Amino acid sequence: MTIERTLILCKPDAVSRGLVGEIVARLERRGYVIAAMKMLQLDGDRARAHYAEHAGKPFFGDLVAFITTGPLVAMAVEGENAIEGCRQIIGATNPLSAAPGSIRGDLAQTIGRNLVHGSDGKDSAERELKIFFGANEFVSRRHDLERWIKD
Ligand code: DAT
Ligand code: MG
């Protein structure tokens, strides 16, 4: 088994639209488990750290401005190949290209308000989780998880 932990954010548009429950439900229905969860509002420094890979791109300023506009919900989500699996549930970056059935394909219209963040690989998951959670903020969900998966 390859149990992974990934960072999922319900971005400020998801919180203000009342879609946090819908997003969490879709992840849980797949069988993924939440190992940490909190609501917080990012300041500019944390937002720039989180999106560091995009620094210098034309949309970077808008992205940082948007992600700091209001509260977001951050989660550590665990499951078998959870990094790729959560990206699949979230859908393509541009909602117009996101498959129907994905969060963005069903619930979002534009790339600048695409509701959810999901880490895109092992290194980014590890880096991003540290921006939002301390080591003592995770609970063990391994037992719950192993009831739902089998090689
Ligand atoms: P993803 O969130 O699917 O991992 P990404 O890491 O390439 O996508 O970009 C991070 C966020 O930045 C994305 O969710 C929305 C915004 N973004 C990306 N490309 C953009 C663009 N061309 N114009 C405006 N915003 C963009
Ligand atoms: Mg990304």
Side-chain angles (χ1 to χ4, degrees), residues 60-82:
F60 186 65
D62 283 348
L63 183 59
V64 169
F66 167 61
I67 203 78
T68 57
T69 48
L72 53 75
V73 172
M75 290 176 268
V77 173
E78 280 182 1
E80 175 79 4
N81 293 306

Side-chain angles (χ1 to χ4, degrees), residues 2 5-6 23 35-36 46 51 61 67 72 84-85 88 93 109 114 117 128 138 149:
T2 313
R5 187 180 278 173
T6 185
I23 291 163
R46 261 223 278 193
Y51 280 127
I67 203 78
L72 53 75
E84 186 184 347
Q88 189 180 61
T93 306
Q109 296 174 58
N114 63 7
H117 168 83
E128 292 169 2
F138 301 99
I149 57 178

Side-chain angles (χ1 to χ4, degrees), residues 6 8 27 30 32 77 81-91 103 118:
T6 185
I8 301 296
L27 298 168
R30 183 80 176 264
Y32 298 133
V77 173
N81 293 306
I83 296 171
E84 186 184 347
C86 287
R87 296 274 297 182
Q88 189 180 61
I89 290 174
I90 292 166
I103 292 169

Side-chain angles (χ1 to χ4, degrees), residues 11 51 53-54 59 63 87 93 104 111-112 114 116-118:
K11 299 192 209 179
Y51 280 127
E53 67 183 286
H54 299 299
F59 58 85
L63 183 59
R87 296 274 297 182
T93 306
R104 289 168 173 165
I111 198 166
N114 63 7
V116 195
H117 168 83

